[in-house]
Amino acid sequence: MNGRAWILGWLAAGLVLAGAAPARAQSDAGTVVVMGEATLTRAPDVARVVVVVEARDRSPQAAQGRAAAEMTGVHAALRQAGIGEDALRTLSYDLEPEYDYVKDRRELRDYLARNRIEVRVDAIPRVGEIVDVAVGAGATSVDSLSFDVKDRRAIEREALTAAVADAWARAQAAASGVGRTVDRVLR
């Protein structure tokens, strides 16, 4: 998104031309079909950082225990940095064996436990600090970073309203080209 959140709204509408003959069941006489578009650009006001803790051990229980202990430390450090519990969300937890192949034989090397959480950062300027806190507390990698807007639904409604206005203006322009005006929206 290049540091910007955008919403695209569109609408296809059939509009009836004023003064047109009544539409017959099988006919589109007197209608114009248009599509309206609107693109809204807003600066992001929320970031989502996915951090990962990985732990390996010969024992699945030990790998799992180490990953859980590390993630507990990451959670505590993030909360101490001002990230609320409602801004932390577990995305996945995996435990899987890892193998080496020696002379066409599969040999167990160890177990990998992986825990992924999403951290919502409501203050964009703090993103770097929050990543540093998570890594400093034991996160082994940062899986992704994305930017968005908090009130996406309101912006989507605004884009839809603008797209409808654009469709109406396009219909009026098309009707004007044949000496007519738009009477109403059919659908």
Side-chain angles (χ1 to χ4, degrees):
M1 276 197 254
N2 298 333
R4 291 183 172 259
W6 59 271
I7 307 290
L8 177 67
W10 62 271
L11 173 74
L15 301 132
V16 174
L17 300 175
R24 293 185 300 271
Q26 297 288 325
S27 174
D28 286 335
T31 63
V32 60
V33 177
V34 295
M35 184 184 312
E37 291 183 286
T39 301
L40 302 178
T41 304
R42 299 290 186 266
D45 58 2
V46 66
R48 287 178 172 69
V49 182
V50 176
V51 296
V52 182
V53 168
E54 290 183 345
R56 287 181 171 80
D57 201 283
R58 293 287 292 171
S59 156
Q61 295 85 359
Q64 188 176 27
R66 286 182 44 222
E70 289 293 326
M71 188 54 81
T72 299
V74 171
H75 269 259
L78 289 168
R79 284 193 309 273
Q80 187 174 0
I83 300 296
E85 194 63 38
D86 66 322
L88 301 173
R89 181 172 66 116
T90 299
L91 297 177
S92 66
Y93 183 84
D94 304 313
L95 178 65
E96 59 189 54
E98 293 185 315
Y99 297 97
D100 287 325
Y101 290 89
V102 179
K103 296 182 183 178
D104 295 329
R105 281 183 25 129
R106 185 171 79 163
E107 294 181 11
L108 179 66
R109 179 179 12 158
D110 51 25
Y111 288 87
L112 170 65
R114 182 180 302 117
N115 191 344
R116 296 175 65 235
I117 65 168
E118 179 184 79
V119 182
R120 188 188 73 234
V121 182
D122 293 327
I124 299 293
R126 293 194 65 207
V127 170
E129 170 198 348
I130 297 305
V131 168
D132 290 346
V133 166
V135 172
T140 55
S141 63
V142 176
D143 206 22
S144 66
L145 169 62
S146 61
F147 296 92
D148 205 349
V149 290
K150 290 176 192 167
D151 196 359
R152 177 170 278 279
R153 286 184 179 163
I155 296 170
E156 287 171 348
R157 285 189 297 273
E158 188 180 341
L160 185 56
T161 299
V164 169
D166 182 53
W168 185 260
R170 288 174 187 234
Q172 290 288 11
S176 173
V178 293
R180 297 277 202 35
T181 60
V182 175
D183 181 45
R184 68 184 188 276
V185 176
L186 284 178
R187 61 176 185 239

